[in-house]
Amino acid sequence: MPRGLYVITDNSLGDLLLAAVEAALEGGAAIVQYRDKSGDHDRRLSEAHSLLALCRRYDRPLLINDDVDLALAIGADGVHLGRTDGSLAAARERLGPDAILGATCHDSLGYAAEAVQGGADYLAFGAMYPSATKPGAHRADPAILGLAKVRFGLPVVAIGGINTDNAPELLAAGADCLAVIHDIFGRPLPDIRARTAVYQQLFD
């Protein structure tokens, strides 16, 4: 599990998806997650295949949000599962021992303990701040990041409302990765590479 900026794609990118992700990879993004909640199976399969090829060129892992079948179909590096998106243990059995499995833990060490038992490779906490993607999400105290690292010994990911102003607080609290959607992909295409590079400098 590489340390650094963890970018999550946004449905609003449309035809700019590949160009936007490549700009983020050029800027140094450490991990890419393909997140598309639509029911367009053929388009999702095509986009995921193209993203995997792109991530391979930059030697970065591609994770699929909430869809083990899609991850298997394209040979992705792993999946990220929410609380209602299926069993981590079942995903591990299907994807194999080398797959990266991430779990949403919201603001709960109890959820994190369940995820560890299920075979998670990293634990994601948030929303840390008000989130444009999930405006109704429960807020998590940044202190949970350090507590989880000590208790479970796994990488921890912070998500929700992150920008370059509040990112240092999360890194100081113990975040190994910062998962960002809007502050990267909500920008004009020419700005994505530079914005990603600013985040990556925080990890140096």
Side-chain angles (χ1 to χ4, degrees):
M1 176 77 180
R3 187 171 184 268
L5 183 66
Y6 181 139
V7 296
I8 303 176
T9 65
D10 188 287
N11 285 11
S12 66
L13 289 169
D15 292 340
L16 295 176
L17 173 67
L18 291 177
V21 172
E22 182 157 25
L25 290 167
E26 288 174 347
I31 306 170
V32 176
Q33 183 190 125
Y34 178 58
R35 181 179 186 272
D36 186 319
K37 296 294 189 177
S38 74
D40 189 338
H41 173 77
D42 290 342
R43 180 179 57 75
R44 292 175 74 246
L45 182 63
S46 175
E47 288 181 346
H49 268 299
S50 297
L51 282 174
L52 183 63
L54 182 60
C55 288
R56 290 286 182 267
R57 281 173 42 205
Y58 287 85
D59 194 26
R60 294 291 185 267
L62 175 69
L63 307 185
I64 304 298
N65 179 268
D66 298 346
D67 193 334
V68 176
D69 289 337
L70 180 58
L72 277 169
I74 69 162
D77 297 289
V79 295
H80 181 93
L81 296 180
R83 292 288 301 163
T84 60
D85 296 313
S87 161
L88 282 164
R92 173 66 71 199
E93 184 174 350
R94 295 184 66 195
L95 294 171
D98 297 328
I100 300 171
L101 299 187
T104 296
C105 303
H106 299 296
D107 60 348
S108 170
L109 292 175
Y111 290 165
E114 293 175 13
V116 171
Q117 187 173 19
D121 294 299
Y122 71 83
L123 308 169
F125 295 94
M128 291 293 164
Y129 308 104
S131 167
T133 303
K134 294 185 177 181
H138 290 292
R139 294 281 297 278
D141 188 323
I144 200 170
L145 301 168
L147 293 172
K149 282 185 74 167
V150 171
R151 183 174 300 187
F152 303 114
L154 290 179
V156 293
V157 176
I159 189 169
I162 297 172
N163 57 46
T164 53
D165 291 329
N166 58 40
E169 176 187 18
L170 300 174
L171 293 176
D176 295 290
C177 293
L178 302 175
V180 180
I181 301 175
H182 184 72
D183 198 42
I184 296 295
F185 295 127
R187 295 178 175 275
L189 186 59
D191 297 339
I192 291 175
R193 183 183 184 279
R195 190 63 167 179
T196 304
V198 171
Y199 276 98
Q200 279 303 114
Q201 289 169 6
L202 298 174
F203 292 90
D204 294 340

